Amino acid sequence: MRSRTALLAAATLVAAATTTAGALTAANAAAAPGCLVEYTVQNQWGSGFTAGVKVTNTGDPVTSWDLTWSYAGNQQVTQGWNAAITQSGAAVSAKNVSYNGSLATGASATFGFNASYSGSNAAPATFKLNGVTCNGDPGGPTDPPTDPPTDPPGDRVDNPYAGAKVYVNPEWSAKAAAEPGGSAVSNQPTAVWLDRIAAIEGVGEGMGLRDHLDAALQQGAGVVQLVIYNLPGRDCAALASNGELGPTEIGRYKSAYIDPIAAILADAKYAGLRIVTTVEIDSLPNLVTNVTPRPTATPACDVMKANGNYIEGVGYALGKLGAVPNVYNYVDAGHHGWLGWDDNFGASAELFKTAATSAGASLDDVHGFIVNTANYSALKEEHFAIGDSVNGVSVRQSKWVDWNRYTDELSYAQAMRTKLVSLGFDSGLGMLIDTSRNGWGGTARPAGPGPSTSVDAYVDGGRYDRRIHLGNWCNQSGAGLGERPKAAPAAGIDAYVWVKPPGESDGASTEIPNNEGKGFDRMCDPTYTGNPRNNNHMSGALPGAPLSGHWFSAQFQELLKNAYPAL
């Protein structure tokens, strides 16, 4: 968050630029070119800075743009967003990307970048839009504001999402906007996944953690959402999202992954951001449901239960991140189709408490829990309830519910919250629900209950969740975007969130060699006939999927088509 002095300096820059641009436009009315540029250095450190640029077209409409300028010093752009930026010597070119090329008269586009420098850091003297000189003096100080953002975080709030703008990841936004129809949702906030050590600095040309936090400041966001996801022996029951760290590499997890993240989040310039962390999805519940003597046990999960590194890793992450005053930790709590059964529900809650009081963590380091992360369980089933019966047979006895205590994520999240508070977690504990892919709309969405000829017909005919089985989790056919991100939507729920960015694959449909530590899971193979975890049903996965986390256009189009609420 920028300080008041910095904002006033930026306002002065804008005013000066507007005056100059207005004169240019009036003098050249016949030719009708014109442009206004606002260039602001938003953050600066010893060897680099972050800048934001707003270009306004004051002339005839354009369908593409190229903004150019030259630096007087040795500034070198290292990474940009919302524009394709190239540099040759001192000359810089920023061209539009797929979703922001058209500028009507009076319309603006914004972009930003990180750059290195030494010595002075003077603002460029001249900008040109498509070869036409904009305001001759972009205004502003010759050096960036001297008061970097140091806004104190203040008291921790009950709900970090309340009244706050949530960061829109420009990398995901660009991919979504490039899809047909994607602009309808490309402005939605999604989480940033830190799924390996390299992601902290940025993989390849991708943005790193600091890049995202700086971009959040540029957007004026109040909340940034991060997924902490790199435990040793990660995801012991699903090969598609295995990670880079072996089962025993708890030391490296701490020193090379959690410690650097915590150090960056503790930087004073980010103190005005509310940083929401989703801590290690699909880890702790595996220690309840996928270990011996359960029929769903895997050797890998038995190893992780025996060595204790899931519990130690989660505890360490909670303690280190929770020590940062503006970090809000939310621990993954599975989903109703995983932990809703009596044998799983209470045991999981107890395990969550164990992890939250391990390796230096305390219950105070947990602000809440998140359910349905990267999953497809319906938010609320409205056409049948646990208390219903058909011809004297309980809904719990239907094949779909299969003796579960819950039919949907909202009822599960609220019940899990009550259970956790009873175990000693704070009475103000908040829950998040990932609604990114659980809309189940389109023509297949039932308008009422199924027929009362049998309990199975009643449930199957009325359920929104159209999966073949609740245990299916990979790139599900027929899924749709769910509720848009929203703060405080229901009792005990801090927010509906899009933690899993829609359009990012759950796993590859066939084996793909890679250096990301990701294996081939048959649950992502549309021809797979299942295993005990989905009661030997077909996988329901879409064909042609890439590695987990990679862009999957066919899935994104499916989600758009079946969105509920409809787009």
Side-chain angles (χ1 to χ4, degrees), residues 37-64:
V37 172
E38 301 164 31
Y39 176 99
T40 308
V41 174
Q42 298 175 321
N43 296 304
Q44 181 169 309
W45 52 101
S47 60
F49 65 98
T50 299
V53 181
K54 179 179 180 181
V55 54
T56 300
N57 177 29
T58 59
D60 289 337
V62 298
T63 56
S64 63

Side-chain angles (χ1 to χ4, degrees), residues 432-518:
L432 304 178
I433 302 177
D434 188 351
T435 59
S436 59
R437 304 182 303 176
N438 71 347
W440 298 105
T443 58
R445 186 174 177 88
S452 297
T453 52
S454 71
V455 71
D456 287 324
Y458 176 74
V459 171
D460 288 339
R463 60 182 168 94
Y464 296 139
D465 189 337
R466 308 310 298 172
R467 284 178 292 178
I468 299 170
H469 188 271
L470 272 171
N472 289 353
W473 54 267
C474 193
N475 301 323
Q476 290 299 285
S477 176
L481 299 169
E483 288 278 354
R484 314 312 176 244
K486 180 189 306 182
I493 310 299
D494 280 351
Y496 296 152
V497 292
W498 282 11
V499 166
K500 176 68 174 182
E504 292 190 1
S505 173
D506 295 317
S509 301
T510 57
E511 187 167 6
I512 299 176
N514 66 92
N515 60 0
E516 300 177 26
K518 296 170 182 175

Side-chain angles (χ1 to χ4, degrees), residues 22 120 147 174 228 360 440 510 557:
S120 64
D147 56 335
I228 307 300
W440 298 105
T510 57
Q557 290 299 320

Side-chain angles (χ1 to χ4, degrees), residues 467-468 472 474-478 523 525-526 528 534 537-542:
R467 284 178 292 178
I468 299 170
N472 289 353
C474 193
N475 301 323
Q476 290 299 285
S477 176
M523 286 297 291
D525 176 358
Y528 184 49
N534 80 334
H537 285 77
M538 297 296 291
S539 70
L542 291 168

Side-chain angles (χ1 to χ4, degrees), residues 153-548:
D155 294 334
R156 188 181 294 274
V157 298
D158 177 62
N159 182 354
Y161 291 87
K165 177 182 178 181
V166 187
Y167 171 58
V168 176
N169 180 347
E171 294 184 307
W172 175 82
S173 180
K175 293 174 183 175
E179 292 279 343
S183 59
V185 295
S186 60
N187 64 338
Q188 293 293 343
T190 55
V192 174
W193 286 58
L194 301 174
D195 61 354
R196 59 190 119 161
I197 293 168
I200 300 171
E201 293 299 322
V203 178
E205 297 299 317
M207 296 171 68
L209 176 55
R210 281 193 181 275
D211 299 325
H212 285 292
L213 296 174
D214 291 339
L217 293 175
Q218 181 195 3
Q219 289 181 11
V223 173
V224 175
Q225 303 171 106
L226 306 176
V227 177
I228 307 300
Y229 186 49
N230 199 31
L231 273 178
R234 187 180 75 191
D235 215 352
C236 59
L239 297 173
S241 47
N242 287 167
E244 64 185 349
L245 300 180
T248 63
E249 293 188 87
I250 187 66
R252 189 174 178 218
Y253 175 78
K254 295 176 180 179
S255 64
Y257 180 68
I258 294 298
D259 289 355
I261 293 173
I264 292 172
L265 300 187
D267 190 317
K269 68 180 176 179
Y270 305 129
L273 293 171
R274 300 172 187 173
I275 301 170
V276 170
T277 64
T278 293
V279 178
E280 296 296 354
I281 64 170
D282 292 344
S283 58
L284 297 177
N286 277 315
L287 302 184
V288 173
T289 65
N290 295 320
V291 295
T292 303
R294 297 291 186 95
T296 53
T298 70
C301 289
D302 282 338
V303 167
M304 298 316 299
K305 182 176 182 179
N307 68 25
N309 284 341
Y310 276 6
I311 289 176
E312 183 176 353
V314 170
Y316 186 82
L318 291 173
K320 289 288 289 189
L321 301 175
V324 182
N326 53 312
V327 168
Y328 297 77
N329 289 322
Y330 289 79
V331 180
D332 181 70
H335 56 91
H336 91 278
W338 187 0
L339 302 182
W341 285 270
D342 293 342
D343 290 348
N344 302 340
F345 187 85
S348 296
E350 294 279 1
L351 187 65
F352 299 153
K353 181 178 180 180
T354 298
T357 52
S358 299
S362 72
L363 299 186
D364 290 339
D365 292 315
V366 179
H367 196 77
F369 287 77
I370 182 168
V371 301
N372 203 46
T373 309
N375 209 266
Y376 298 86
S377 294
L379 177 64
K380 185 171 178 59
E381 293 285 8
E382 297 174 309
H383 301 317
F384 64 96
I386 285 295
D388 293 350
S389 62
V390 176
N391 301 324
V393 181
S394 168
V395 156
R396 292 190 68 205
Q397 293 176 254
S398 67
K399 292 178 182 178
W400 175 254
V401 178
D402 192 25
W403 295 103
N404 201 314
R405 289 283 181 189
Y406 307 97
T407 61
D408 52 39
E409 285 308 293
L410 182 58
S411 62
Y412 168 74
Q414 292 170 328
M416 178 59 78
R417 179 186 180 279
T418 299
K419 178 65 175 179
L420 291 164
V421 169
S422 76
L423 294 179
F425 284 92
D426 191 276
S427 60
L429 196 72
M431 305 296 287
L432 304 178
I433 302 177
D434 188 351
T435 59
S436 59
R437 304 182 303 176
N438 71 347
W440 298 105
T443 58
R445 186 174 177 88
S452 297
T453 52
S454 71
V455 71
D456 287 324
Y458 176 74
V459 171
D460 288 339
R463 60 182 168 94
Y464 296 139
D465 189 337
R466 308 310 298 172
R467 284 178 292 178
I468 299 170
H469 188 271
L470 272 171
N472 289 353
W473 54 267
C474 193
N475 301 323
Q476 290 299 285
S477 176
L481 299 169
E483 288 278 354
R484 314 312 176 244
K486 180 189 306 182
I493 310 299
D494 280 351
Y496 296 152
V497 292
W498 282 11
V499 166
K500 176 68 174 182
E504 292 190 1
S505 173
D506 295 317
S509 301
T510 57
E511 187 167 6
I512 299 176
N514 66 92
N515 60 0
E516 300 177 26
K518 296 170 182 175
F520 170 51
D521 196 300
R522 289 297 304 280
M523 286 297 291
C524 301
D525 176 358
T527 68
Y528 184 49
T529 55
N531 57 46
R533 285 190 291 281
N534 80 334
N535 209 15
N536 297 299
H537 285 77
M538 297 296 291
S539 70
L542 291 168
L547 290 172
S548 62

